[in-house]
């Protein structure tokens, strides 16, 4: 699944929810693959001692995560390929920080 872009259907909704999270920048998870938690005290990463603190991740565009193995192979694609929309198979996780305000998914896999 690709990272959310400003043209993604859920971008405005997720961006508005991020702005309600205390202690994180307004662009948290919204500018492609970055280590958004690095040095972020509110996430327990003031000294980056926890593995996820420096991991790259982003909120993902679920509308672009159409996984269909048969369509993938019938169109000449391979699962986990980013070139074919039916082949995108990346682990997504629910965004805990946003759970009270909006549904959003994030991914480390998208970012390598």
């Amino acid at each position: 699944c690709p990272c959310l872009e400003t043209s993604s259907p859920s971008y405005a909704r997720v961006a508005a929810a991020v702005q309600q999270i205390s202690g994180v920048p307004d662009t948290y998870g919204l500018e492609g693959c970055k280590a958004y938690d690095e040095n972020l005290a509110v996430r327990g990463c003031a000294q980056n001692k926890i593995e996820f603190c420096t991991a790259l991740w982003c909120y993902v565009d679920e509308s672009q995560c159409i996984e269909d193995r048969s369509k993938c192979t019938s169109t000449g694609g391979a699962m986990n390929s980013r070139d074919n929309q039916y082949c995108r198979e990346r682990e997504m996780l629910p965004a805990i920080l946003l759970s009270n305000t909006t549904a959003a998914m994030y991914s480390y896999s998208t970012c390598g």
Side-chain angles (χ1 to χ4, degrees), residues 9-110:
S10 59
Y11 182 88
R13 177 176 48 81
V14 175
V18 166
Q19 291 179 4
Q20 303 302 312
I21 303 170
S22 178
V24 302
D26 288 348
T27 57
Y28 184 76
L30 297 169
E31 293 184 324
C33 294
K34 292 185 180 182
Y36 291 100
D37 296 311
E38 190 170 27
N39 301 315
L40 197 58
V42 72
R43 297 284 292 137
C45 294
Q47 276 101 36
N48 297 319
K49 292 182 179 180
I50 307 168
E51 186 177 338
F52 77 87
C53 295
T54 57
L56 303 177
W57 67 275
C58 66
Y59 291 116
V60 294
D61 185 349
E62 294 177 73
S63 71
Q64 296 296 312
C65 298
I66 306 164
E67 300 168 14
D68 187 321
R69 195 170 298 276
S70 63
K71 284 185 180 180
C72 173
T73 55
S74 70
T75 57
M79 291 307 289
N80 291 320
S81 167
R82 294 177 188 231
D83 299 329
N84 184 321
Q85 71 176 1
Y86 299 112
C87 302
R88 295 182 180 132
E89 186 176 334
R90 305 278 188 266
E91 179 184 29
M92 296 183 297
L93 304 163
I96 296 168
L97 288 176
L98 302 180
S99 63
N100 292 333
T101 56
T102 188
M105 303 295 277
Y106 70 98
S107 175
Y108 292 104
S109 299
T110 292

